[in-house]
Amino acid sequence: LRDKYLGLIADAADESALEDLRVQAIGKKGEVSLAMRELGKMTPEERKEAGPRLNALKDEITSAIAAKKAGLEDAALDERLRAEWLDVTLPGRTRRMGTIHPISQVWEEVTTIFADMGFSVAEGPQIETDWYNFDALNIPGHHPARAEMDTFYMHRKDGDNRPPHVLRTHTSPVQIRHMEAHGAPCRIIAPGRVYRADYDQTHTPMFHQVEGLAIDKDISMANLKWVLEEFFTAYFGTTVKTRFRASHFPFTEPSAEVDIQCSFEGGTVKVGEGDDWLEVLGSGMVHPKVLAAASVDPDQWQGFAFGMGIDRIAMLKYGIPDLRAFFDADLRWLRHYGFGP
Ligand code: PHE
């Protein structure tokens, strides 16, 4: 009996096999228990000899089972540790995080730089009336500038004779809206989306401009030049010279197109060095008719305005040759320029 059970216990594969053996050997109807029950039928001499032997066997089996059980538990734990082993020195699994779109980054940066110079942000609707987009800016109905702007018109139903709305072609209408609402003096920028029916490497039907407007008693072109040079130097992180070229806009007089200093060596544009120039914005002194259209007295107030392409200066900063790529939502492109997830 002893050899049989000690052998079986040693070979038991798992805890439930051990439990079966325990019942078989020392359970109520187990072989050892039954043998113990036989003691009553024995003579006192026989019992004296067999009793302790059976008791010892029972103890031996009990502790053999306990030892085997502990062994099985250890083995199971070892196995689990092996399976679930974790090397905490391995680099973690990284997750790809989305980033702010480059145009939005530039938009925010532009806003911050002008805010540091005391400009606050103004907004206006992207769907504008003829009046705010053109007439109030001294662009009457017959003016060639209307045709040049490739305007998107929102068509009305037959019989609706109200003047058409347009998708604003520039951020300049925000000048009018702001002066109308807040009067002078003022110092604002108005970043936003604008629309023109145009599509090639440097034009998309939707693009972004930032308008600047500063009105006070004695604001001059000199203030404009300082503000712009300060802005470009902060934005490009290097001293940037500007060149003002006489130009014409219906809403400014005098008007200037502004170029920034750059070099074009090896097909890449570098801002702030070399002796080439790149046009980046239109500007001028706000036309008296424009002030008057916004109910600001041109005999008391004067100031400058400018309109700059946000996408244009983003392309320059990041060396991006094709504007359209900004709006393709191609993750490979975004990653290539360090923006993508
Ligand atoms: N609104 C002009 C444009 O979109 C830019 C501009 C703004 C020029 C303000 C002068 C003053 O082309």
Side-chain angles (χ1 to χ4, degrees), residues 149 169-172 175 196 209 211 249 251-252 282-284 305-307:
M149 287 235 194
T169 56
H170 50 179
T171 42
S172 298
Q175 288 183 36
R196 291 181 201 178
Q209 283 189 336
E211 193 81 7
F249 298 102
F251 31 91
T252 45
S283 66
F306 63 84

Side-chain angles (χ1 to χ4, degrees), residues 15-312:
E15 285 191 33
S16 81
L18 269 183
E19 175 60 13
D20 289 346
L21 286 172
R22 189 191 63 78
V23 173
Q24 249 181 69
I26 56 178
K28 257 189 201 151
K29 290 178 184 161
E31 274 193 277
V32 177
S33 309
L34 291 177
M36 285 173 128
R37 222 165 285 168
E38 297 299 310
L39 287 174
K41 296 175 189 162
M42 291 179 184
T43 63
E45 285 75 30
E46 284 173 328
R47 198 182 310 144
K48 224 177 173 179
E49 188 267 328
R53 206 155 40 81
L54 284 172
N55 270 323
L57 178 57
K58 188 179 174 183
D59 291 347
E60 199 175 356
I61 288 174
T62 305
S63 53
I65 287 175
K68 178 69 185 180
K69 197 171 159 187
L72 284 174
E73 278 168 4
D74 282 354
L77 184 62
D78 282 348
E79 179 54 33
R80 231 182 104 186
L81 286 175
R82 222 183 346 269
E84 296 177 11
W85 182 77
L86 176 72
D87 184 351
V88 294
T89 66
L90 280 176
R93 264 176 229 157
T94 53
R95 221 191 285 195
R96 286 182 158 177
M97 301 276 273
T99 55
I100 310 274
H101 190 276
I103 295 294
S104 303
Q105 288 187 33
V106 171
W107 174 317
E108 282 171 21
E109 201 180 341
V110 167
T111 307
T112 307
I113 296 170
F114 279 110
D116 286 346
M117 292 192 270
F119 288 78
S120 50
V121 173
E123 282 183 348
Q126 295 176 40
I127 298 173
E128 262 301 5
T129 60
D130 256 7
W131 166 257
Y132 284 108
N133 196 77
F134 295 122
D135 300 83
L137 290 160
N138 196 29
I139 314 174
H142 56 80
H143 199 283
R146 290 211 186 193
E148 278 162 26
M149 287 235 194
D150 303 306
T151 312
F152 286 110
Y153 285 90
M154 318 276 290
H155 285 286
R156 295 203 177 276
K157 285 187 187 145
D158 286 346
D160 185 341
N161 292 321
R162 287 175 299 167
H165 278 71
V166 299
L167 293 182
R168 68 179 178 195
T169 56
H170 50 179
T171 42
S172 298
V174 185
Q175 288 183 36
I176 307 294
R177 289 181 175 276
H178 183 82
M179 287 191 286
E180 243 175 21
H182 304 283
C186 68
R187 236 188 300 178
I188 54 137
I189 55 161
R193 297 186 162 193
V194 299
Y195 302 84
R196 291 181 201 178
D198 210 349
Y199 187 74
D200 62 33
Q201 191 171 334
T202 53
H203 297 89
T204 50
M206 184 282 299
F207 60 106
H208 302 82
Q209 283 189 336
V210 57
E211 193 81 7
L213 175 72
I215 303 292
D216 211 321
K217 296 282 178 188
D218 52 9
I219 300 249
S220 72
M221 293 284 273
N223 300 126
L224 171 64
K225 188 165 169 86
W226 181 85
V227 164
L228 290 177
E229 288 192 347
E230 198 72 5
F231 167 76
F232 287 120
T233 297
Y235 175 75
F236 287 107
T238 176
T239 308
V240 180
K241 285 189 196 145
T242 62
R243 181 174 78 171
F244 281 49
R245 268 181 301 105
S247 181
H248 177 264
F249 298 102
F251 31 91
T252 45
E253 182 57 38
S255 303
E257 279 175 308
V258 178
D259 304 335
I260 53 175
Q261 177 200 10
C262 69
S263 75
F264 290 114
E265 265 152 53
T268 53
V269 189
K270 289 214 183 81
V271 175
E273 59 174 62
D275 5 79
D276 281 308
W277 298 95
L278 196 71
E279 186 200 324
V280 284
L281 62 88
S283 66
M285 296 299 289
V286 179
H287 198 290
K289 281 191 180 172
V290 172
L291 295 174
S295 308
V296 167
D297 182 0
D299 291 332
Q300 284 196 57
W301 303 99
Q302 64 178 43
F304 65 73
F306 63 84
M308 178 164 54
I310 292 182
D311 321 80
R312 170 72 64 91

Side-chain angles (χ1 to χ4, degrees), residues 313-329:
I313 62 166
M315 289 168 80
L316 286 173
K317 184 161 186 166
Y318 299 112
I320 289 160
D322 193 324
L323 173 63
R324 294 169 293 195
F326 275 129
F327 311 116
D328 283 345

